[in-house]
Amino acid sequence: MLSRLLKEHQAKQNERKELQEKRRREAIAAATSLTEALVDHLNVGVAQAYMNQRKLDHEVKTLQVQAAQFAKQTGQWIGMVENFNQALKEIGDVENWARSIELDMRTIATALEYVYKGQLQSAPS
């Protein structure tokens, strides 16, 4: 009878150990699933942030290239405007020179006219 009780006790202990082991495996599986789900959820956010960062980097590089091109074009425009201003100054200088020459020619023409009229009046008739 004692041996039968011992065998029953050992059988119940084995059943409890098996049940406890089964529950432990289920708990580990559930914890693993939960961990994987949390990591997957976090990875989605991290992946999105990474993709956004890559897009931003690409946009920054594009913007830098465009800014350099704009700066170069602006420099060319400034050069063209400076050349245009210089040409306008030169045209103004030529205009002033032409006026000066015209004034000198009028002075000379007036002087020659006075001389010619003076010679006509002093000439004996």
Side-chain angles (χ1 to χ4, degrees):
M1 170 148 173
L2 189 59
S3 110
R4 186 174 56 89
L5 282 176
L6 181 63
K7 285 182 184 182
E8 285 178 10
H9 174 68
Q10 287 176 345
K12 283 183 182 181
Q13 270 189 334
N14 284 338
E15 285 178 23
R16 283 188 202 138
K17 282 182 182 178
E18 287 175 12
L19 182 61
Q20 187 176 9
E21 183 63 26
K22 179 183 172 187
R23 288 180 181 163
R24 186 181 69 80
R25 284 191 301 263
E26 289 173 355
I28 289 173
T32 302
S33 295
L34 175 64
T35 303
E36 287 175 358
L38 289 173
V39 168
D40 287 345
H41 179 71
L42 289 176
N43 281 343
V44 168
V46 170
Q48 185 64 42
Y50 177 74
M51 290 301 294
N52 290 343
Q53 182 64 40
R54 285 187 61 198
K55 287 178 185 176
L56 285 173
D57 289 343
H58 177 71
E59 291 295 322
V60 165
K61 288 178 184 177
T62 302
L63 184 61
Q64 285 174 338
V65 168
Q66 289 176 349
Q69 288 174 347
F70 181 69
K72 182 180 176 181
Q73 188 176 28
T74 303
Q76 290 173 345
W77 288 345
I78 289 171
M80 289 172 60
V81 168
E82 287 175 355
N83 289 340
F84 181 70
N85 283 339
Q86 184 63 33
L88 286 177
K89 286 179 186 178
E90 289 173 5
I91 289 172
D93 291 345
V94 169
E95 186 178 355
N96 287 336
W97 176 78
R99 283 187 192 147
S100 177
I101 294 293
E102 183 181 4
L103 185 62
D104 289 346
M105 295 304 284
R106 284 187 184 175
T107 303
I108 292 170
T110 304
L112 287 174
E113 194 176 318
Y114 283 134
V115 169
Y116 179 71
K117 283 183 183 178
Q119 286 179 353
L120 286 177
Q121 289 176 359
S122 63
S125 18

